[in-house]
Amino acid sequence: MKILRHADPATIEGPAEWFTGKAWIEPIVNDPEAPSNVTAARVTFEPGARTNWHKHPLGQLLIVTSGVGWTQVEGGPKVEFQAGDVMDCPRDKKHWHGATPDAEMTHIAVQEKLDGENVEWLEPVTDEEYLR
């Protein structure tokens, strides 16, 4: 049994290549032990922060632990979610998620690696797309 103590993981600022605004990533499972391919992280978004458009080869599960956020799958409507909600992002679907302009949001992101990759990062979500 491996126990990851709360003080163990190093929280990092989300890179500008992946996020607009300030987001903080706290790894939960970064390098799974084979044969597992599951990775997970706690991500906190400051108000107005969001991911770039991206997709996951095997999908993603988001467990919202605090705050209020928005998400959108390309071509679909923007949807609001809040603490206690769980989102199942479909595999290979271009999408984004983040905080609303007025509230922080934290979620736990769980996804699997396929051929060593768990995400494909794409272009930033424009202010127009975010606020639409």
Side-chain angles (χ1 to χ4, degrees):
M1 179 71 68
K2 185 191 298 185
I3 299 175
L4 183 64
R5 302 288 180 195
H6 180 70
D8 289 348
T11 300
I12 62 166
E13 185 172 346
E17 298 83 29
W18 300 349
F19 295 91
T20 296
K22 296 281 187 191
W24 305 95
I25 303 169
E26 181 183 340
I28 296 172
V29 178
N30 230 6
D31 295 312
E33 187 174 321
S36 176
N37 288 315
V38 173
T39 62
R42 181 178 296 108
V43 184
T44 299
F45 298 80
E46 291 185 1
R50 68 252 187 202
T51 66
N52 281 6
W53 287 100
H54 62 285
K55 53 188 178 177
H56 302 276
L58 295 175
Q60 182 183 50
L61 185 69
L62 298 175
I63 304 161
V64 185
T65 59
S66 67
V68 180
W70 290 336
T71 188
Q72 182 178 24
V73 173
E74 183 179 44
K78 181 172 65 178
V79 178
E80 187 169 291
F81 57 84
Q82 60 189 348
D85 292 344
V86 176
M87 292 175 287
D88 186 4
C89 303
R91 64 180 291 165
D92 280 329
K93 292 290 184 178
K94 187 176 175 180
H95 69 284
W96 66 269
H97 37 92
T100 62
D102 302 319
E104 269 193 0
M105 184 272 294
T106 299
H107 63 51
I108 295 173
V110 181
Q111 53 280 313
E112 292 182 272
K113 291 182 178 183
L114 178 65
D115 299 325
E117 300 296 325
N118 63 11
V119 62
E120 179 184 348
W121 290 105
L122 304 166
E123 71 276 6
V125 174
T126 66
D127 289 344
E128 180 183 339
E129 290 170 317
Y130 174 70
L131 294 171
R132 183 176 336 146

